[in-house]
Amino acid sequence: MRDTAGRLLLADTFRATDWGSGYEWFQEHHFKVVGQGYGIYDKIEATGDLGGSGADDFVARDRAGVLWLYKGRGGHSFSARIRIGGGWGGYGRPVGIGDADRDGRPDLYTQGFLYRGTGDYRSPLRPREETSPYHFWPTAVTYDHFA
């Protein structure tokens, strides 16, 4: 998550349960600043280990439509940004959907397109494929469920 000052925050999130009703929810607790200068991006999304570093990564889209990869280094730190490519401004929010195609690598989804992960930070995404989330989930799922 990012605050209005452009700081990247790590939220300690846990599942809470009301044992009387059985209602469950996720609650954020204790925020830690893990970076500064992220106000230049209009979208930031956790992706899992998209770059193959062994730690969780995230992507960020700047206002010019360029998508950047931040490889996780463990211990809540990230590499310098790596340019994935331009032309992402016409999409809604990119969504890290986990391993949608079950090949062992995380994938990225945007409105109507799947980008399969390669596991290689030098070229972390395969060319886009026009698709629908209906291909991955047995229930009625739309882009709005993620974005």
Side-chain angles (χ1 to χ4, degrees), residues 13-71:
T13 306
F14 62 93
R15 182 170 43 190
T17 304
D18 177 347
W19 295 106
S21 68
Y23 180 75
E24 293 184 326
W25 68 95
F26 288 95
Q27 184 169 338
E28 295 172 340
H29 184 68
H30 301 296
F31 295 96
K32 177 182 178 184
V33 176
V34 294
Q36 309 253 354
Y38 291 92
I40 63 171
Y41 300 113
D42 65 350
K43 303 290 181 199
I44 296 176
E45 178 72 13
T47 61
D49 187 13
L50 192 64
S53 64
D56 289 339
D57 308 326
F58 70 90
V59 295
R61 185 181 70 194
D62 66 24
R63 287 174 175 76
V66 177
L67 193 67
W68 301 90
L69 171 67
Y70 285 85
K71 290 189 330 178

Side-chain angles (χ1 to χ4, degrees), residues 55-134:
D56 289 339
D57 308 326
F58 70 90
V59 295
R61 185 181 70 194
D62 66 24
R63 287 174 175 76
V66 177
L67 193 67
W68 301 90
L69 171 67
Y70 285 85
K71 290 189 330 178
R73 296 188 300 204
H76 311 303
S77 67
F78 299 92
S79 70
R81 69 185 189 170
I82 300 166
R83 189 177 200 267
I84 292 177
W88 290 80
Y91 296 117
R93 176 177 157 215
V95 179
I97 58 171
D99 184 10
D101 59 2
R102 296 183 177 97
D103 67 352
R105 295 181 293 270
D107 305 310
L108 197 66
Y109 184 76
T110 62
Q111 292 163 307
F113 298 101
L114 174 69
Y115 291 83
R116 296 177 193 267
T118 65
D120 183 349
Y121 73 91
R122 293 167 292 206
S123 182
L125 300 170
R126 293 189 180 149
R128 74 181 190 184
E129 299 173 34
E130 192 167 348
T131 190
S132 162
Y134 293 113

